[in-house]
Amino acid sequence: MKQDRLAIKGARLVGRLEELAQIGAIDGNGCCRLALTDEDRRGRDLVVSWMKALGLAVTVDRIGNVVGLRAGRTAGAPVVIGSHIDTVRTGGRYDGNLGVLAGLEVVATLNDAGVTTDKPLAVAFFTNEEGARFAPDMMGSAVHQGALALDTALAAVGIDGETVGDCLNRIGYAGPEPVGTMRAAAYVELHIEQGPVLEREGVQIGAVTGVQGISWTELTIKGVSCHAGTTPMAMRHDAGYAAAEIACFVRRLAHEIGGTQVGTVGFLELAPNLVNVVANRARLTVDLRNTDEAVLRRAEERTFAFLDELAAREGVEITRRTLARFAPVDFAPEMIAMVEEEAQGLGLSTKRMPSGAGHDAQMFAPNCPSGMVFVQSHKGLSHNVAEYTAPEHLAAGANVLLKVVRRLAG
Ligand code: GLV
Ligand code: MN
Ligand code: MN
């Protein structure tokens, strides 16, 4: 059958990944395209130009999500292939980008073969998936799927003090399309695993069962600045010390809970940040994740109780602000099975596994059948310039994506 012979062109996919990676390129083969920066804009412009060249009808919505639509034989809700092209500040070239560019590769393959699917197809990239500049993460897909109000997202203030709304206007991606008007018949996302499991076990394809819950809290600690040489230890209200205790607590807590529990203090700023001045202010973030909502909630409760105890003990004031909170998400059983079957049909080995990272797919999951395909990440590295996935794994994942999309779209 003609359908079974269709295969993506790996070199074309790798070529696009490399070209996109030149925008915001940083030392070590990495990328810095923080959401809604000029680098993000240039990356967006390039992907939009590819979408148009492939004949997709491109729309931009008010939160800057970009959708390229390919008509089907019938009208109605499209099968959406999505992900993101923003990166963390020290990101690699695959996280997110693979899912979007593999979507374009699927379209190019269908175009070359003259195949029209029954249902329309859409390739989409969503604004600020990373959350590294503006919280929460998965911002564009959350607004798209009605999990976050547009106004709240537009008002979000980034780590550099700018708002999402202002930045969208500045880079020219505050689109005219109302949010959430496009419903998806199904949603599928190819992504690198970003962890070590597939490579360690020698498995080619991950059939993703769901995404673990995410809790992000920003803490601001107010202490008292004083002289580092003259102030007795017992008289200090040291915001820097309190921040350090929190980082140690979070790590101990994750070890103690075990299982899938992880805990990270990835952002820490001290003021005045000088060698001989006790810090009077600290700002830090706590990232807690677990596949089990009840356990995640207990981890949060224990952290917050520790903060109260610490504040009283050290005589500092600790205020907290929720940056992101997403419950664990299960993908539709038929989507998990479909990824598995289509991969195995291509002779690829598979493993069912949860995702440790957040993904746009989790925002679609409550509203339409949603699923994800994982491919190996070399040494499990991601959010690191050294992120790498070999071309044969990229191609394998894109071929599974093609198969799944064809099955969904008819
Ligand atoms: C998003 O990439 C996250 O999982 O932090
Ligand atoms: Mn990603
Ligand atoms: Mn990421």
Side-chain angles (χ1 to χ4, degrees):
M1 235 163 57
K2 187 178 169 193
Q3 162 168 349
D4 294 327
R5 284 203 305 271
L6 273 192
I8 64 96
K9 290 199 167 86
R12 185 167 55 187
L13 171 59
V14 170
R16 284 207 178 96
L17 279 163
E18 278 178 3
E19 200 176 330
L20 182 53
Q22 300 317 308
I23 301 175
I26 53 175
D27 279 355
N29 283 326
C31 274
C32 175
R33 289 198 309 274
L34 283 170
L36 309 181
T37 55
D38 286 337
E39 289 74 27
D40 186 21
R41 174 185 57 73
R42 287 165 55 217
R44 286 164 171 264
D45 290 350
L46 179 62
V47 175
V48 166
S49 74
W50 285 334
M51 285 178 160
K52 288 181 175 163
L54 288 167
L56 300 177
V58 177
T59 54
V60 182
D61 71 17
R62 292 186 57 204
I63 193 67
N65 297 320
V66 175
V67 178
L69 194 66
R70 184 178 193 265
R73 271 194 291 273
T74 58
V79 172
V80 178
I81 308 169
S83 201
H84 61 98
I85 62 166
D86 67 313
T87 74
V88 296
R89 185 179 276 135
T90 52
R93 41 176 68 183
Y94 304 96
D95 177 0
N97 303 298
L98 173 61
V100 178
L101 301 187
L104 296 188
E105 184 52 38
V106 166
V107 169
T109 304
L110 297 176
N111 286 357
D112 290 349
V115 171
T116 304
T117 51
D118 285 336
K119 291 191 174 79
L121 294 183
V123 180
F125 59 88
F126 299 99
T127 295
N128 183 36
E129 188 275 352
E130 291 291 4
R133 185 179 179 205
F134 304 100
D137 49 348
M138 284 79 73
M139 180 180 274
S141 49
V143 171
H144 192 278
Q145 291 298 294
L148 178 66
L150 174 65
D151 288 346
T152 306
L154 292 175
V157 179
I159 53 175
D160 42 23
E162 295 196 77
T163 67
V164 166
D166 287 346
C167 292
L168 274 171
N169 283 322
R170 189 175 51 76
I171 69 165
Y173 275 87
E177 196 73 8
V179 287
T181 49
M182 186 199 77
R183 287 292 130 202
Y187 178 93
V188 54
E189 180 166 353
L190 169 64
H191 207 284
I192 54 167
E193 179 201 334
Q194 308 183 271
V197 177
L198 290 174
E199 182 177 76
R200 196 171 58 208
E201 298 187 10
V203 174
Q204 289 157 303
I205 297 291
V208 185
T209 52
V211 180
Q212 67 181 347
I214 301 175
S215 164
W216 285 359
T217 309
E218 180 191 69
L219 304 175
T220 303
I221 308 174
K222 269 210 313 236
V224 179
S225 272
C226 54
H227 196 293
T230 60
T231 315
M233 298 309 286
M235 286 180 62
R236 297 184 181 204
H237 307 284
D238 184 342
Y241 173 73
E245 268 219 34
I246 294 165
C248 294
F249 173 84
V250 164
R251 188 177 164 91
R252 266 200 319 273
L253 178 73
H255 275 294
E256 198 182 304
I257 294 173
T260 62
Q261 183 66 48
V262 285
T264 307
V265 171
F267 174 98
L268 170 62
E269 250 178 19
L270 299 182
N273 216 19
L274 296 168
V275 62
N276 55 353
V277 183
V278 170
N280 66 359
R281 190 169 174 280
R283 195 154 67 100
L284 69 156
T285 56
V286 176
D287 176 323
L288 297 170
R289 307 194 194 199
N290 200 298
T291 50
D292 183 323
E293 172 64 16
V295 180
L296 180 58
R297 212 173 306 129
R298 267 203 307 282
E300 288 174 311
E301 283 162 7
R302 286 183 60 185
T303 303
F304 299 156
F306 175 77
L307 297 177
D308 292 343
E309 182 269 316
L310 176 70
R313 172 159 50 85
E314 294 299 324
V316 295
E317 186 185 308
I318 304 178
T319 52
R320 54 178 210 250
R321 181 166 77 96
T322 300
L323 297 179
R325 183 61 169 89
F326 300 112
V329 166
D330 293 324
F331 290 138
E334 71 270 22
M335 294 293 287
I336 303 165
M338 197 182 298
V339 169
E340 207 169 47
E341 284 164 26
E342 295 300 336
Q344 288 169 4
L346 291 168
L348 299 165
S349 52
T350 62
K351 178 186 176 75
R352 290 188 174 213
M353 61 194 302
S355 170
H359 296 292
D360 295 307
Q362 76 192 84
M363 293 302 153
F364 281 76
N367 301 324
C368 69
S370 302
M372 290 189 75
V373 182
F374 271 178
V375 288
Q376 291 184 7
S377 288
H378 187 47
K379 295 185 176 166
L381 283 177
S382 186
H383 289 184
N384 182 321
V385 293
E387 187 178 86
Y388 179 71
T389 299
E392 68 261 31
H393 291 294
L394 300 173
N399 274 317
V400 174
L401 182 69
L402 172 66
K403 285 286 205 176
V404 169
V405 165
R406 291 207 71 190
R407 195 154 137 193
L408 290 165

